[in-house]
Amino acid sequence: MEIDGVSDVQILDPELLQLPGLSPLSVKANPHIAEELFSQWLSLPETGRLVKSLIEDTKSSTPVSVSKNCANLNIACGSALPSVFLNSGTPPLSPRGSSGSPRFSRQKTSPSSLQSPLKSVREPKRQLIPQFYFQHGRPPAKELKEQCISMIDHFFSNYIDGLRMDEFKSITKEVCKLPSFLSSVLFGKIDTSCTGIVTRDAFIKYWVDGHMLAMDVATQIYNILRQPGCKYLRQADFKPVLDELLVTHPGLEFLRNTPEFQERYAETVIYRIFYYINRSGTGCITLRELKRGNLIAAMQQVDEEDDINKVIRYFSYEHFYVIYCRFWELDGDHDFLIDKENLIKYGNHALTYRIVDRIFSQVPRKFTSKVVGKMSYEDFAYFILAEEDKSSEPSLEYWFKCIDLDGDGVINPNEMQFFYEEQLHRMECITQEPVLFEDILCQIFDMVKPEKENCITLQDLKGSKLSGNVFNILFNLNKFMAFETRDPFLIRQERENPTLTEWDRFAQREYVRLSMEEDVEEVSNGSADVWDEPLESPF
C-alpha cells in the first residue's frame, strides 16, 4: 500500500511521538529528525496494516480503537528505529505514571483526540421551523376569525341579499374598526362588479380570507386606498375619502352649498398630508411612510370628533381658511397663480429678494404649476407650511436646500453671508442698528453647535431646537427682529400650550385676524336690513 507523505512535518509535536530513548528537545533542535522518523514509520508494514484496518472499520461502522492499534504498533515498531536514535547521548525520558506528566493529563482530558477522524458523525435531528413569512399577510388566529365571522353574521342577518352603500357604514366602523368615511372606498373594493350590493360571502372573502383581519390599521387603510398593482398612494387616492368626509361630517355641513370651497378644502388637506407624510418628496406615499406618520391617528380622531377644528392635524377647517385666504390676498388678478412680485409681499414684505429668487428657481421643491415663473396654490401651500413652522423637519429640509447654494450638503459662512447681506441692508434702510455678520455668525454657531467647524449640515439643524431662528436671521427680517426682542406674550403662549407647533399658533392668530377683518368688512358693506334692526333688547 502506497501512502503519500506530509509536506510540512514541523507541525508534529515531538512529545506526542513518545519515542523511547529520544528526547523531544533533540527533535525540536533538529527538525530533519522528525522528517526521517515519519518517513521510516510510513515504510513499515505494520503502518499499512493499521491504515487498512481503520478504513475497513469505518466502512463497516465498527467502533474504531485507535489507542489499541497505536499501542500494538508502537510495540511492534519499537525495535525498528535506527540505531543512531537509540544510542544518542540524550538522557532518558521520565517514567510515565498516572500523574505528574503534563502530556498524560492533556491526553486524558481530551479523549476525542484519540478517536479516528474518519469516524462517521451522526446527523443532528432536524427541527421544524414554523413559517414566518406569508406573501399575502399572516392569516388571522382561529379565535379572532371565529369572533369576526360571528359579528358579520349578526350584521348580515337582517340583510340576506346584502348591504347597500348607505347601509355599509356600520360594517366599516363596527366590524372593520375603521373610520366611517372610508366606507365608500371599502365598498368599492369589495363590489368590484359595481352591483351596488355587498353580500356576506363577498365581505368574508375580502376581509377574512384576504387576511385583512390580521393586518394593522395602517396596512388596512393602505390596501384599501391604493390602486391595484400600485405600491404607493397618490393624491388622487385620497380624493374619494375627502369627498365622503365633506358629505357626512357634521363639522363641515356648512360647506355643502359651496362646492368650490369643498374642493379647495379637500385639496388643502391632501397637500398637508403629503407635505408631512411623503418625506421622500416623490409624490407617492409608501406604506412605511404612512406608518411613520400620524395620519391614521388624525383620521380616527376626525371620526370621533364633531368639531372639525379640534383636529388640528391636516383636517382643521380654520387652518385651510388661513392658507387659502393668504394665497387669495397675494393673488391680485385671482388667476390662482402668483409670481415673484406677489410673493415678495408675503408677511408685510418680510422675505428678502434673494430667498424669493431661490424659491422660484425651484431648488427646494419643483413647482406643479405649468406656467413658467408662476407658483400654484399647491406650491404656495408647501411654502407657507415651511415658512410658518421652521421647527418641523420638512421645513428644515426645504430651507436648507435654499441656503445651500452649491448643493454640497453643507452650509458654509460664505453662503450665510450672501443671504445676510440683504438683511443688513434692509436694517440700515429702516434706521435699525445693524448687527455685523461676524457677530451673527458666532450667534448661529452657538445656537446650532455643529459637529464640524465652519459648516452646518442638515443633521446639525435637526438636532437643535433653535434651527428655525437661523433661517429667520438670514432672510426674514420681521421674525428676526421679533426673535431679538423676545416678545414675552409669545413666550407665555408657548409655555401654556407646549403641544402646539409654530404652525398651530400662527394659524390660530391668523384666523382670529382674518375673522375680525371679515366682520368689519361685513359691517361697512352691510345691507339696510342690518342697520334697520331695532336697537332694543328682544327680551
Side-chain angles (χ1 to χ4, degrees):
M1 178 179 180
E2 185 178 352
I3 302 176
D4 296 333
V6 180
S7 59
D8 189 1
V9 299
Q10 294 183 2
I11 62 174
L12 293 174
D13 189 350
E15 295 185 1
L16 295 178
L17 294 175
Q18 300 184 8
L19 298 174
L22 187 61
S23 171
L25 297 177
S26 63
V27 178
K28 288 183 178 179
N30 301 285
H32 66 279
I33 296 177
E35 182 177 358
E36 189 170 348
L37 283 173
F38 187 65
S39 300
Q40 177 77 11
W41 181 79
L42 288 176
S43 63
L44 297 175
E46 289 81 359
T47 304
R49 289 193 296 269
L50 173 63
V51 175
K52 287 182 178 180
S53 176
L54 292 175
I55 294 176
E56 291 176 358
D57 292 343
T58 303
K59 289 181 177 180
S60 61
S61 302
T62 303
V64 180
S65 178
V66 181
S67 59
K68 180 179 180 181
N69 293 331
C70 290
N72 296 334
L73 185 61
N74 288 336
I75 294 174
C77 301
S79 60
L81 290 174
S83 59
V84 63
F85 300 124
L86 296 175
N87 298 330
S88 62
T90 57
L93 295 175
S94 61
R96 297 173 184 169
S98 60
S99 61
S101 174
R103 179 173 68 253
F104 183 82
S105 61
R106 180 165 62 250
Q107 292 176 347
K108 185 176 182 180
T109 55
S110 303
S112 60
S113 62
L114 302 177
Q115 298 179 1
S116 171
L118 302 177
K119 183 178 180 180
S120 60
V121 180
R122 180 178 298 177
E123 295 184 359
K125 186 178 180 180
R126 296 183 179 180
Q127 295 182 354
L128 181 62
I129 300 177
Q131 183 179 354
F132 57 88
Y133 172 74
F134 302 87
Q135 183 178 0
H136 303 290
R138 181 180 295 273
K142 182 179 179 180
E143 296 79 6
L144 181 62
K145 183 176 180 179
E146 292 177 352
Q147 182 181 2
C148 181
I149 293 178
S150 176
M151 294 182 63
I152 295 172
D153 292 338
H154 172 71
F155 277 96
F156 278 90
S157 60
N158 296 327
Y159 302 91
I160 301 177
D161 297 332
L163 294 172
R164 299 183 181 276
M165 177 80 73
D166 56 341
E167 302 166 339
F168 190 73
K169 185 177 295 185
S170 58
I171 293 288
T172 305
K173 192 174 180 62
E174 301 297 332
V175 178
C176 302
K177 309 296 182 183
L178 295 175
S180 59
F181 51 89
L182 290 172
S183 178
S184 61
V185 183
L186 179 58
F187 189 93
K189 281 285 183 176
I190 302 173
D191 183 24
T192 56
S193 301
C194 300
T195 60
I197 295 291
V198 169
T199 63
R200 171 190 175 277
D201 295 340
F203 181 76
I204 291 179
K205 180 180 179 181
Y206 177 82
W207 191 256
V208 181
D209 298 341
H211 305 325
M212 290 284 288
L213 178 61
M215 298 178 183
D216 57 88
V217 179
T219 307
Q220 290 174 348
I221 294 178
Y222 173 80
N223 288 328
I224 291 173
L225 295 182
R226 68 185 178 96
Q227 297 298 316
C230 289
K231 296 183 178 179
Y232 50 80
L233 297 178
R234 303 167 301 172
Q235 290 188 6
D237 296 332
F238 289 90
K239 190 65 170 59
V241 179
L242 271 300
D243 290 341
E244 184 171 358
L245 180 67
L246 285 163
V247 173
T248 59
H249 198 280
L252 298 171
E253 185 178 359
F254 65 97
L255 285 177
R256 293 178 183 175
N257 297 326
T258 55
E260 179 184 356
F261 288 107
Q262 283 185 328
E263 183 179 356
R264 297 304 176 197
Y265 169 81
E267 291 176 352
T268 307
V269 172
I270 293 174
Y271 298 155
R272 294 183 66 187
I273 289 173
F274 275 75
Y275 174 80
Y276 288 104
I277 302 298
N278 183 214
R279 301 301 308 281
S280 59
T282 59
C284 302
I285 295 179
T286 63
L287 177 60
R288 182 179 181 182
E289 289 176 330
L290 186 64
K291 288 184 176 181
R292 293 179 61 182
N294 55 1
L295 176 61
I296 304 302
M299 295 174 72
Q300 293 172 333
Q301 184 182 0
V302 167
D303 203 40
E304 301 296 333
E305 181 61 59
D306 291 339
D307 187 355
I308 196 71
N309 292 317
K310 291 184 178 180
V311 189
I312 57 179
R313 299 291 172 264
Y314 313 110
F315 296 96
S316 172
Y317 175 82
E318 293 180 354
H319 290 193
F320 150 73
Y321 187 82
V322 169
I323 295 174
Y324 184 82
C325 289
R326 275 300 189 107
F327 179 83
W328 191 256
E329 289 176 349
L330 298 177
D331 183 19
D333 54 2
H334 301 312
D335 61 349
F336 235 66
L337 295 170
I338 59 177
D339 55 16
K340 288 184 182 180
E341 296 302 322
N342 298 137
L343 189 62
I344 202 69
K345 301 175 185 178
Y346 180 83
N348 194 19
H349 296 81
L351 302 176
T352 63
Y353 282 95
R354 291 182 178 179
I355 198 65
V356 172
D357 288 339
R358 288 291 286 174
I359 294 172
F360 274 83
S361 66
Q362 304 182 36
V363 171
R365 182 179 181 273
K366 186 174 179 59
F367 286 173
T368 58
S369 170
K370 304 301 181 182
V371 182
V372 179
K374 297 282 188 176
M375 174 186 284
S376 67
Y377 176 64
E378 178 180 353
D379 303 323
F380 178 79
Y382 274 74
F383 159 77
I384 192 173
L385 291 172
E387 166 60 23
E388 299 303 339
D389 187 5
K390 296 188 177 73
S391 62
S392 65
E393 290 193 3
S395 175
L396 294 177
E397 295 169 0
Y398 186 96
W399 297 117
F400 183 88
K401 294 176 183 177
C402 289
I403 305 299
D404 184 16
L405 295 174
D406 54 8
D408 60 350
V410 296
I411 298 177
N412 57 54
N414 293 333
E415 292 169 332
M416 289 186 279
Q417 187 175 12
F418 172 78
F419 288 95
Y420 186 73
E421 284 176 350
E422 188 174 351
Q423 288 280 73
L424 190 62
H425 177 68
R426 298 177 73 189
M427 284 188 284
E428 293 174 351
C429 292
I430 62 175
T431 66
Q432 181 73 27
E433 182 180 358
V435 184
L436 299 178
F437 176 72
E438 291 75 13
D439 298 333
I440 286 296
L441 188 62
C442 293
Q443 185 179 4
I444 289 176
F445 282 130
D446 288 341
M447 288 190 297
V448 178
K449 295 180 175 57
E451 293 185 3
K452 297 181 180 180
E453 296 182 359
N454 297 327
C455 67
I456 297 175
T457 65
L458 181 59
Q459 294 301 321
D460 294 332
L461 292 173
K462 290 182 178 180
S464 173
K465 295 182 179 181
L466 300 175
S467 299
N469 297 316
V470 174
F471 295 120
N472 291 332
I473 291 172
L474 296 178
F475 55 76
N476 191 314
L477 184 59
N478 295 346
K479 291 185 178 180
F480 174 37
M481 302 307 298
F483 173 71
E484 289 294 320
T485 55
R486 302 291 202 286
D487 188 351
F489 175 73
L490 295 179
I491 295 176
R492 187 180 66 181
Q493 269 191 334
E494 294 177 3
R495 293 177 178 175
E496 289 177 353
N497 298 303
T499 58
L500 297 180
T501 64
E502 292 182 12
W503 164 257
D504 297 333
R505 297 187 183 94
F506 165 78
Q508 195 176 50
R509 295 192 304 268
E510 277 298 295
Y511 185 77
V512 172
R513 180 187 70 83
L514 293 169
S515 299
M516 293 178 63
E517 290 180 356
E518 185 175 352
D519 292 341
V520 172
E521 185 176 356
E522 288 180 356
V523 170
S524 60
N525 299 328
S527 61
D529 295 337
V530 176
W531 297 105
D532 291 341
E533 289 181 356
L535 297 178
E536 63 271 10
S537 172
F539 301 104

